[in-house]
Amino acid sequence: MPRKKIVAGNWKMNLDRAKARELAGAVAARSGEAAGVELVLCPPALYLDAVGAALAAAKSNVGLGGQNMHDKASGAFTGEVAPPMLLDLGCTYVILGHSERRTLFGETDAIVNAKTKAALAAGLTPIVCVGETLEEREGGRTDAVVTTQVRGSLAGLSPADLEKVVIAYEPVWAIGTGKVATPQQAQEVHALIRSLLGSLASSEVAGKIRIQYGGSVKPDNAADLASQPDIDGALVGGASLKADDFLGIAKAFR
């Protein structure tokens, strides 16, 4: 059975409440343009409620996701967001281990692993991000870095849980830089990730897991990426802030 393509928009720390609602409404109203592709919007935590309401009002199938979460369900963790809180706001997805969380906020594979397990336990689908820096790629360490991140971030997951995870390969050197991995470079790493998933479970399970590409994805390069056999969608940053661009990318994966 073919893997259903998934395109998620990571709005990062952008927009205000009104613009967030407007963008969500525009994507929802036109989601039929990307029929057959699963769409997910991940606004800032403060706007999850507003975006969720806009999606519900449009009676769309567009999913809602958080950009991060804590691994505990509650407690004295000032400023954090718990898995049940995301669920309460209608989220079905959560981005974990994004390179900005890893590089700017010191998140380790162990932290990402704890969050991934907590997300699954809560009934959320984690989008687990992995990827190498420019220095690591130029040093020929891409495979080693990605292997360590995949194994560490997914350690201890059962095959059944692994099937519920979405992986996002995001070469750090391509995020927000305008640079993009060639389709061949992206496919090589996606194939490596699928092989690693097979070693963690089985080739059958690995064949069911969706692996997104992220890193300066735009409408004009999405089709070439979508043509690769192991690229199952995109985790979109800047281009997700415009409905035309986001939907243009999503349409490439139909």
Side-chain angles (χ1 to χ4, degrees), residues 22-49:
E22 181 183 359
L23 178 55
V27 170
R30 296 173 52 191
S31 59
E33 296 177 18
V37 177
E38 189 168 356
L39 303 179
V40 183
L41 300 182
C42 301
L46 284 173
Y47 303 145
L48 281 167
D49 203 10

Side-chain angles (χ1 to χ4, degrees), residues 14-217:
N14 291 297
L15 306 179
D16 58 27
R17 184 182 177 87
K19 290 178 181 176
R21 286 183 61 93
E22 181 183 359
L23 178 55
V27 170
R30 296 173 52 191
S31 59
E33 296 177 18
V37 177
E38 189 168 356
L39 303 179
V40 183
L41 300 182
C42 301
L46 284 173
Y47 303 145
L48 281 167
D49 203 10
V51 169
L55 296 178
K59 295 182 171 59
S60 78
N61 293 321
V62 178
L64 184 66
Q67 296 179 12
N68 184 37
M69 63 168 222
H70 200 278
D71 66 299
K72 298 295 189 296
S74 64
F77 303 103
T78 300
E80 291 292 325
V81 175
M85 294 175 180
L86 294 180
L87 288 170
D88 192 32
L89 293 174
C91 290
T92 51
Y93 284 88
V94 61
I95 299 170
L96 300 175
H98 190 280
S99 64
E100 289 156 8
R101 299 299 313 175
R102 292 176 185 266
T103 59
L104 299 177
F105 302 101
E107 291 195 5
T108 63
D109 291 333
I111 290 172
V112 177
N113 181 240
K115 292 183 177 185
T116 299
K117 290 176 177 175
L120 289 165
L124 292 163
T125 297
I127 299 175
V128 179
C129 303
V130 298
E132 81 283 9
T133 64
L134 181 60
E135 180 183 8
E136 288 163 345
R137 173 164 280 273
E138 291 181 341
R141 303 199 301 278
T142 294
D143 287 9
V145 169
V146 171
T147 296
T148 297
Q149 290 180 344
V150 169
R151 290 189 178 279
S153 300
L154 304 179
L157 296 188
S158 68
D161 276 342
L162 279 171
E163 283 189 25
K164 300 172 187 174
V165 175
V166 175
I167 306 295
Y169 167 57
E170 294 201 313
V172 180
W173 49 273
I175 298 175
T177 63
K179 296 180 180 179
V180 63
T182 66
Q184 293 74 25
Q185 287 174 322
Q187 168 58 27
E188 286 172 4
V189 180
H190 279 238
L192 167 67
I193 293 171
R194 202 170 302 284
S195 175
L196 290 168
L197 295 170
S199 71
L200 293 174
S202 68
S203 58
E204 181 182 2
V205 169
K208 297 177 182 178
I209 298 171
R210 296 177 293 178
I211 308 174
Q212 299 175 306
Y213 172 78
S216 296
V217 184

